[in-house]
Amino acid sequence: MEIIREVNEMRNIIKLLKQGQKKIGFVPTMGFFHDGHLQLMKKAKKENDTVVSSVFVNPLQFGPNEDFDRYPRNEEEDIRKAEYVGVDFLFIPPLDEMYPQKMQITMTINDRIDVLCGKARPGHFDGVITVVTKLFHITQPDQVYFGMKDAQQVAVIDALIHNLNFSISLIGLPTVREEDGLAKSSRNVNLSKRERAQANWLFKALKHGHQLVVDGEFNPAIIIKEINNIISNNTDGKIDYIEVLSYPELKPVSDMNQQVIIALAVQFERARLIDNLLLNEDGDIIRFWKQEESQ
Amino acid sequence: MEIIREVNEMRNIIKLLKQGQKKIGFVPTMGFFHDGHLQLMKKAKKENDTVVSSVFVNPLQFGPNEDFDRYPRNEEEDIRKAEYVGVDFLFIPPLDEMYPQKMQITMTINDRIDVLCGKARPGHFDGVITVVTKLFHITQPDQVYFGMKDAQQVAVIDALIHNLNFSISLIGLPTVREEDGLAKSSRNVNLSKRERAQANWLFKALKHGHQLVVDGEFNPAIIIKEINNIISNNTDGKIDYIEVLSYPELKPVSDMNQQVIIALAVQFERARLIDNLLLNEDGDIIRFWKQEESQ
């Protein structure tokens, strides 16, 4: 595995790969790899000739009171893990390579963001689409891989790709979970022992919501209320949101007879956790999500 | 020459060209070709394996009181001319191919735009960078060609390419002129006979400005004043601006000892004309402008 730190070096490598007709799979990350990241890389390895992954904690997508400074980092481990799962090029640009000067171009997303995490994190997804656009231009992937844990991020990248005509296929892979069901996240290390023991109730509550649908409950409000009760009764976390929305449009729905996401965010003392379930119109859980390149 | 009207068709052709390792030169236009456009295409033909040009009058870059509706169009002639100069693929998408839905992503440029035409046309360059980004993604060029008549546009595209890390070389080609010096423009057809006879004074005034520099005048204010006098005394046009700025940064300068642009816009009854001269630090005229791809 080669480690690349300069934009122009990455660009030159991509040029050679393109000349060699290599199909490029790209996994953009903020590092501190856990199994969720590694699954993306493994899948990319299976489906492409070359896997490029990036590690860049993007300040543009953190709000002034968010956890940019304490976002966990461990470059040495990341390099070891990426190499182990077969990443070919790990792009780790320092801040001034990605932002050598004040941005002259501002990108804003004005759809799919007034709900879920977008509501509580104004500007977050503007930062995401900006850095992802830059990374797409540098790495020129055929296919790009994201985890469905950040389902709103996948919906936003879907809008970005279609709206700006990127020739890239977007693949969302299933959330990877701890044994007790807690979605793997780089932020889980910031949970206290007591909070960690409670945190599996997020997924339990989502599964209960799914069971309600299976049992014939079609009213989103009732599903949301029951999930809320379970989390309130079993954790110290403060519920940020529990929402049921169409996917990937992220519009309110009046019933569950369509492709919907049940998504939630819970704020613990030093970690804000998110999780979701995607259900098709029959109430079955959708684990993979793929949008072919198109206009 | 093939005429392409659908985004996905254009995209599939580009994919095949890329598989064939073809170097792609791209000439984005709003059509109604004159010699200026054709020179861009000829140059692209010389420097690339395949030339793609586009004809798209982009509503996003016209203000509510601007001339979108009466912007001149002549598709049949454009096709004939493009074929004649060797364009390989002419991309002529209808409006709903380029904007099938309301834009979910907004792109804004906040540098190089508070001067020259950007000042009088708020939002114009936001529309330009948006459509150019879409066209770049669809046509994936190695080199892109613009005319230096729209020098601010070239400066803005330069910022776009660098800021968002596009892997594209930007080439600005010399303004093509009528025999009397008037810069060729699709909008010249909107001049009255009397205005057309006066319009060559714009270039005469710029050349006088250059002569002043050659003769040792280094004060931009004096050069601007003399150009102003010449145009006021010899045309019915209303001067919109005459400015001397660094290039491509487009910042105010206190003297002429650097790469500068002398640029002007004059509003006639039904046509607003622009013209400029680019001078290097020795006061010599720069005709070509090229920025290699880089970060």
Side-chain angles (χ1 to χ4, degrees):
Chain A
M1 185 179 78
E2 268 187 66
I3 294 162
I4 319 292
R5 299 191 187 268
E6 287 176 15
V7 169
N8 278 336
E9 195 190 346
M10 189 73 249
R11 202 197 286 286
N12 289 335
I13 287 168
I14 295 294
K15 196 173 284 180
L16 290 173
L17 292 171
K18 293 275 173 188
Q19 279 169 16
Q21 307 284 352
K22 300 296 183 197
K23 189 172 183 181
I24 298 172
F26 178 47
V27 184
T29 82
M30 299 210 298
F32 207 72
F33 295 156
H34 53 67
D35 223 33
H37 299 102
L38 304 182
Q39 294 300 335
L40 300 178
M41 296 166 190
K42 283 182 193 167
K43 185 77 171 178
K45 188 75 181 174
K46 265 191 206 144
E47 299 183 342
N48 300 274
D49 301 314
T50 305
V51 177
V52 178
S53 184
S54 62
V55 174
F56 181 65
V57 183
N58 173 36
L60 229 60
Q61 71 193 66
F62 287 82
N65 298 317
E66 291 183 1
D67 58 352
F68 176 68
D69 289 328
R70 69 165 191 277
Y71 195 87
R73 292 158 169 90
N74 190 340
E75 190 178 296
E76 208 177 311
E77 271 293 285
D78 286 349
I79 290 171
R80 201 183 57 75
K81 289 174 177 171
E83 179 143 35
Y84 183 75
V85 295
V87 167
D88 298 289
F89 299 95
L90 189 61
F91 181 46
I92 317 180
L95 196 55
D96 61 359
E97 271 291 300
M98 288 300 284
Y99 301 111
Q101 54 171 99
K102 196 170 163 297
M103 286 295 286
Q104 300 166 295
I105 310 284
T106 309
M107 296 181 69
T108 314
I109 170 143
N110 36 53
D111 192 22
R112 306 184 177 185
I113 47 114
D114 54 344
V115 292
L116 308 179
C117 290
K119 200 162 51 179
R121 305 185 72 186
H124 167 67
F125 287 113
D126 296 340
V128 170
I129 61 169
T130 303
V131 77
V132 163
T133 294
K134 288 168 70 74
L135 290 169
F136 282 180
H137 289 161
I138 294 166
T139 63
Q140 298 180 48
D142 297 286
Q143 309 200 86
V144 64
Y145 297 80
F146 288 91
M148 283 304 284
K149 184 172 83 76
D150 296 304
Q152 186 172 21
Q153 177 168 273
V154 173
V156 162
I157 302 295
D158 170 74
L160 173 72
I161 287 176
H162 285 84
N163 221 222
L164 292 184
N165 305 99
F166 278 98
S167 291
I168 298 174
S169 294
L170 171 62
I171 294 148
L173 295 188
T175 301
V176 177
R177 301 181 179 280
E178 305 288 351
E179 272 188 25
D180 67 347
L182 172 63
K184 293 208 178 188
S185 163
S186 304
R187 289 185 171 98
N188 289 350
V189 296
N190 290 329
L191 292 169
S192 72
K193 209 166 174 180
R194 178 183 160 92
E195 287 172 339
R196 175 64 192 84
Q198 299 170 342
N200 64 344
W201 281 100
L202 275 58
F203 186 50
K204 280 192 202 167
L206 284 170
K207 281 198 298 187
H208 178 72
H210 175 227
Q211 190 58 48
L212 290 174
V213 177
V214 170
D215 294 345
E217 179 57 66
F218 289 113
N219 184 346
I222 290 175
I223 293 162
I224 289 169
K225 189 155 182 280
E226 294 221 9
I227 291 175
N228 191 317
N229 288 344
I230 293 173
I231 294 174
S232 302
N233 294 339
N234 293 287
T235 79
D236 301 331
K238 189 179 153 294
I239 292 168
D240 186 354
Y241 64 74
I242 303 168
E243 294 183 48
V244 175
L245 301 166
S246 63
Y247 195 85
E249 300 79 12
L250 302 186
K251 300 298 173 213
V253 295
S254 53
D255 66 62
M256 307 297 284
N257 289 320
Q258 52 197 299
Q259 182 165 303
V260 298
I261 186 166
I262 311 177
L264 53 80
V266 178
Q267 179 71 54
F268 288 91
E269 181 101 24
R270 295 182 67 244
R272 184 171 168 283
L273 303 188
I274 61 175
D275 204 348
N276 68 75
L277 278 184
L278 193 57
L279 306 181
N280 70 14
E281 63 273 26
D282 297 324
D284 300 326
I285 294 175
I286 301 175
R287 287 163 49 78
F288 289 86
W289 194 82
K290 177 159 182 173
Q291 203 74 319
E292 297 293 335
E293 66 163 87
S294 72
Q295 66 174 80
Chain B
M1 185 180 77
E2 269 188 64
I3 294 162
I4 319 291
R5 299 190 187 271
E6 287 176 15
V7 169
N8 278 337
E9 195 190 348
M10 188 74 248
R11 202 197 286 285
N12 289 335
I13 287 168
I14 295 293
K15 197 174 283 181
L16 290 173
L17 292 171
K18 293 275 174 189
Q19 279 169 16
Q21 307 284 352
K22 299 296 184 195
K23 189 171 184 182
I24 298 172
F26 179 46
V27 183
T29 81
M30 298 210 299
F32 208 73
F33 295 157
H34 53 66
D35 224 34
H37 299 102
L38 304 182
Q39 294 300 333
L40 300 178
M41 297 166 190
K42 282 181 193 168
K43 184 75 171 179
K45 188 74 180 176
K46 265 190 206 148
E47 299 184 342
N48 301 275
D49 301 314
T50 305
V51 178
V52 178
S53 183
S54 63
V55 174
F56 182 64
V57 183
N58 173 37
L60 229 59
Q61 70 193 65
F62 287 82
N65 297 316
E66 292 183 2
D67 58 352
F68 176 69
D69 289 329
R70 67 164 193 278
Y71 194 87
R73 291 158 169 91
N74 190 338
E75 188 178 298
E76 209 177 310
E77 271 291 285
D78 286 349
I79 291 170
R80 201 183 57 73
K81 289 175 177 170
E83 178 142 37
Y84 182 74
V85 294
V87 168
D88 299 289
F89 299 95
L90 190 60
F91 181 47
I92 318 181
L95 197 55
D96 62 359
E97 272 289 302
M98 289 299 285
Y99 300 110
Q101 55 172 97
K102 197 169 163 298
M103 286 295 286
Q104 300 166 295
I105 310 283
T106 308
M107 297 180 70
T108 313
I109 171 146
N110 36 53
D111 192 21
R112 306 186 177 183
I113 47 113
D114 54 345
V115 293
L116 307 179
C117 291
K119 199 163 51 179
R121 305 185 70 185
H124 167 66
F125 286 112
D126 296 341
V128 169
I129 60 170
T130 304
V131 78
V132 163
T133 294
K134 288 168 70 74
L135 290 168
F136 282 179
H137 290 161
I138 295 165
T139 64
Q140 298 181 48
D142 298 285
Q143 310 201 83
V144 64
Y145 297 80
F146 287 92
M148 283 304 285
K149 184 172 83 77
D150 296 304
Q152 186 172 20
Q153 177 168 272
V154 173
V156 162
I157 302 297
D158 170 73
L160 174 72
I161 287 176
H162 285 84
N163 222 221
L164 292 184
N165 305 100
F166 277 100
S167 291
I168 299 174
S169 295
L170 171 62
I171 293 148
L173 294 188
T175 301
V176 178
R177 301 181 179 281
E178 305 288 351
E179 270 188 28
D180 67 347
L182 173 63
K184 294 207 178 189
S185 164
S186 305
R187 289 184 172 99
N188 289 349
V189 296
N190 290 330
L191 292 169
S192 72
K193 206 164 178 182
R194 177 183 159 92
E195 288 172 337
R196 175 62 192 84
Q198 298 169 342
N200 64 345
W201 281 99
L202 274 57
F203 186 51
K204 280 191 204 170
L206 284 170
K207 281 197 299 186
H208 178 71
H210 174 228
Q211 190 57 50
L212 290 174
V213 177
V214 170
D215 295 345
E217 180 57 67
F218 289 113
N219 183 346
I222 290 176
I223 293 162
I224 290 170
K225 188 155 182 280
E226 293 221 10
I227 292 174
N228 191 316
N229 288 343
I230 292 172
I231 294 174
S232 303
N233 294 339
N234 293 286
T235 80
D236 300 332
K238 188 178 152 297
I239 293 168
D240 186 353
Y241 63 75
I242 303 168
E243 294 182 49
V244 175
L245 301 165
S246 63
Y247 195 86
E249 299 80 10
L250 303 184
K251 300 299 172 211
V253 294
S254 54
D255 66 62
M256 307 297 284
N257 289 321
Q258 52 196 299
Q259 183 165 302
V260 297
I261 187 166
I262 310 175
L264 53 80
V266 178
Q267 179 70 54
F268 288 92
E269 181 101 24
R270 295 182 66 244
R272 184 171 167 285
L273 304 188
I274 60 175
D275 204 349
N276 68 75
L277 278 184
L278 193 57
L279 306 182
N280 69 14
E281 64 273 26
D282 298 323
D284 300 325
I285 294 174
I286 301 175
R287 286 162 50 78
F288 290 87
W289 194 81
K290 177 158 182 174
Q291 204 75 318
E292 297 294 335
E293 66 164 88
S294 72
Q295 66 175 76

